Structure formats: C-alpha cells, structure tokens
Amino acid sequence: MREWLANTSGIDLLPEVDSTGSCYATTDCLLPHSDQKAVLSSFFSDQVLNENSEKSMREIFKKSSELQIRSAFQNVFYDDFLLAMDSGNFVERGPVNKRWMNEYDIETASSDGCATEFIKALRSNTMMNFIKSVTGSEYEEPHTTLRIFRLTHGCYTVLGDEDAEQYTKNGPSIDFWFYFGRSNWNEDAGGEIVYIKKDVEEPILRCPPTVGAMAIVRRDEDIYDGYREVVDRSFVGLVHSRK
C-alpha cells in the first residue's frame, strides 16, 4: 500500500504511513484529515496538535530550550491511562545507593491496552517528526528511550560520577515528561526532576510534577537529571521519553 501511494502521488513517504477513514453517508463535505498527526491525535489535545500551538511552542523552545504545555491530553485517553496504571505491573528499581523507583514493566503490558498504544505512538516516526517540528532539533540516527514511573513516598535517585560519564557518552537529547495523576501535586511533596550542569553547584532547572501537563527540555551532554525524594503523596504516572 505504501509503495502504491508513493508511486501514485510522486511523494517520498516516510517509512511509517498513517491513514484514517470517514463515513460520508449523510454528507458530501470532505471532513478535514491530518494523516501525519492521526497517530497522535488520540492522545494529545488541541493545545498540542495545531499549527498555531506548534509555532508558539517552537518560538518558546528556541529562546529557552524548555517549555510546558498544560491540559496536554485528550480526556478519554487520560482517564483510560490512569486506569491502566492502576492495574499495571510496577517493579522496584535499585540499588538503594543509587535509586529507589517504581517502574512500569512495559514488556508485560497488554498488547491492546491504551498504555501500549501510547508507547507505540511515542516511538513512532510521526512523533519524531513532531519533535523536530516543535524543537527544531534533528539528530543522526535518533532513538527513543522511554520509561514510566509511579512516584510514591520515598522515591529518589542519586547521581554519581558514572552517571555523569554515561550522560556525556549518550550525548545531547530532547527530554519529554508526561504527567498523569488524579489530583494536583504539592511542590513541597518532592518528586521534581532536577537538572544539574557539570561544575555548577545549584540546579539549573527544576520540573515539579504538574498534573495533565507535558514538559519538553533540551538536555546538553554536560547536563544530568534526577528526582528529588518524594516525601508525601503518590503520583500515578510519570512518562519519560528521551529522543
């Protein structure tokens, strides 16, 4: 099908082609389509997926290398994702001298569940193109690292020299943070993501959990991130996607 479309249209298509269908039994007006964004529109709200928003996000990100979008998700997907996390399999990650985090076991997720579909979308070429459009960043041979955490009382990470070396080895990235929860988060409860720059004593950026929001951060190779200890409450889901 992809080959036929490419030959017929004369357009050099992406490796992954999205398609949608509509029923015209009661109208002869062509409904608007955006096949390129179809895979994302099931998850993200119009706050994220429209030309004006993308332009605004691109301008903000160009100036500050960071941005946050509130009300970033479709309501139906958001509720379904919370339910999926309630029944999901979370595994404790250590060792205790480095971290204590509850991580969602992606490998055991239901093959037809909304969490799996969201993960597929975040790993798709469509998402990669969206990132390029919003951030203006383009990497050779890019890849996605994706993890889902539940922030509960006592969660933390500790950054060491070996972590700094690994960040430097991995090179720069675009970090996406997606926040899911049923109630607002008090910043005093901890759980914020802290960005630390090499040889700089104070953090250069703090990202507290913000329910229903998406945050994007450009991370240079000499910048490292970790979690401040959670001292109160429980946050249902924190999705981290690094490109």
Side-chain angles (χ1 to χ4, degrees), residues 50-223:
N50 69 72
E51 290 185 8
N52 290 334
S53 292
E54 286 191 30
K55 181 180 179 181
S56 176
M57 288 189 289
R58 186 161 53 247
E59 291 174 351
I60 294 172
F61 196 82
K62 183 178 180 180
K63 293 178 181 178
S64 62
S65 295
E66 62 183 82
L67 64 89
Q68 183 188 79
I69 304 99
R70 296 176 181 268
S71 302
F73 305 101
Q74 295 284 0
N75 291 334
V76 172
F77 160 69
Y78 190 88
D79 293 340
D80 288 345
F81 189 85
L82 289 176
L83 290 175
M85 293 298 98
D86 286 343
S87 58
N89 181 30
F90 283 82
V91 181
E92 292 185 5
R93 300 296 189 195
V96 293
N97 65 322
K98 297 290 299 176
R99 68 188 62 82
W100 183 76
M101 299 291 291
N102 288 309
E103 183 173 359
Y104 182 68
D105 188 354
I106 292 176
E107 301 304 321
T108 62
S110 171
S111 60
D112 59 353
C114 73
T116 299
E117 293 304 311
F118 187 45
I119 290 167
K120 288 179 181 178
L122 295 180
R123 289 173 169 169
S124 69
N125 288 324
T126 302
M127 185 65 182
M128 198 69 74
N129 288 329
F130 171 73
I131 293 171
K132 183 168 65 174
S133 172
V134 170
T135 67
S137 301
E138 188 169 3
Y139 300 105
E140 293 185 10
E141 300 181 1
H143 67 277
T144 300
T145 301
L146 191 148
R147 308 180 78 176
I148 301 175
F149 298 106
R150 171 179 283 152
L151 299 184
T152 55
H153 186 275
C155 286
Y156 65 88
T157 58
V158 177
L159 290 173
D161 291 341
E162 63 273 22
D163 299 297
E165 291 174 2
Q166 188 62 48
Y167 275 112
T168 302
K169 181 180 178 181
N170 291 341
S173 69
I174 300 295
D175 290 355
F176 273 70
W177 302 93
F178 306 100
Y179 302 96
F180 297 85
R182 290 190 172 87
S183 61
N184 291 328
W185 183 270
N186 187 334
E187 291 189 21
D188 293 336
E192 65 184 356
I193 296 103
V194 179
Y195 281 82
I196 301 171
K197 186 177 178 64
K198 184 178 180 180
D199 299 327
V200 176
E201 186 172 337
E202 292 296 321
I204 62 171
L205 178 65
R206 298 177 184 271
C207 298
T210 305
V211 171
M214 173 175 75
I216 311 174
V217 179
R218 188 195 309 277
R219 188 192 61 77
D220 295 328
E221 60 186 14
D222 62 344
I223 295 176

Side-chain angles (χ1 to χ4, degrees), residues 226-237:
Y227 299 87
R228 180 183 157 210
E229 183 179 2
V230 180
V231 295
D232 186 26
R233 305 185 63 181
S234 176
F235 203 64
V236 173

